[in-house]
Amino acid sequence: MAVLLFFIFGGLVAAALPLVAGGLTVLGANGIVRFITEFTDVNSFVSGGLGEQSD
């Protein structure tokens, strides 16, 4: 996938941006879920990460 992005965007930095943005999105979502679990009950599928990965 990274090789395909390299050829589509024509550069290493441009090809890495979507991958970095996706990684930061996953980390941010996990952080938000962990924060919410401190105050309320959350389904085990969400807190275990399966809810995010099933998209």
Side-chain angles (χ1 to χ4, degrees):
M1 175 131 170
V3 174
L4 182 61
L5 288 172
F6 177 77
F7 286 114
I8 291 172
F9 290 112
L12 189 61
V13 174
L17 284 177
L19 299 174
V20 170
L24 290 175
T25 301
V26 170
L27 290 174
N30 282 334
I32 291 169
V33 169
R34 277 193 192 241
F35 178 75
I36 292 172
T37 58
E38 295 294 324
F39 303 106
T40 184
D41 291 331
V42 177
N43 190 326
S44 63
F45 286 112
V46 174
S47 60
L50 294 175
E52 294 173 11
Q53 296 172 3
S54 64
D55 273 344

